[in-house]
Amino acid sequence: MKQLIIHGDPGIRKGAIIEIDGEQVVCFGINRNGEWHGPEEVQLWCTVGAESEYGDFERRNFIPHFLDVERVDADAVDVVRPQGELAV
């Protein structure tokens, strides 16, 4: 599990599956920053990881401050699935 900062908006939402440098990851949670005050383009701060790590994310079995951080541009993100399934 890691923190991914995407500069720009590739059109993804919570539950999306994206590919970065040949690695597919699932976006567990997304915070959108820079809408009103901030940088010229929006930034998406995503908690991403393998699908098997979703249970740890739900139970908060991690320390957010100690996750590895990676920064990419929106152009470098390949969207496999733009959003997750809606839960009823």
Side-chain angles (χ1 to χ4, degrees):
M1 197 176 324
K2 63 183 171 184
Q3 189 76 20
L4 179 67
I5 301 173
I6 302 174
H7 298 278
D9 188 359
I12 61 172
R13 299 296 171 255
K14 181 179 174 182
I17 297 176
I18 58 175
E19 186 172 328
I20 304 163
D21 297 331
E23 176 188 12
Q24 279 194 1
V25 292
V26 179
C27 295
F28 301 139
I30 298 177
N31 293 326
R32 191 173 174 91
N33 297 316
E35 287 285 296
W36 298 99
H37 306 291
E40 292 180 12
E41 62 182 0
V42 69
Q43 291 180 353
L44 301 180
W45 290 46
C46 310
T47 304
V48 299
E51 199 168 332
S52 61
E53 295 176 315
Y54 186 69
D56 288 335
F57 175 77
E58 279 188 321
R59 290 188 295 278
R60 300 288 187 223
N61 193 16
F62 65 98
I63 301 172
H65 290 59
F66 294 121
L67 291 177
D68 292 334
V69 177
E70 187 177 333
R71 295 173 173 261
V72 295
D73 288 328
D75 299 337
V77 175
D78 293 327
V79 179
V80 176
R81 184 179 74 190
Q83 61 190 11
E85 303 283 326
L86 292 176
V88 178

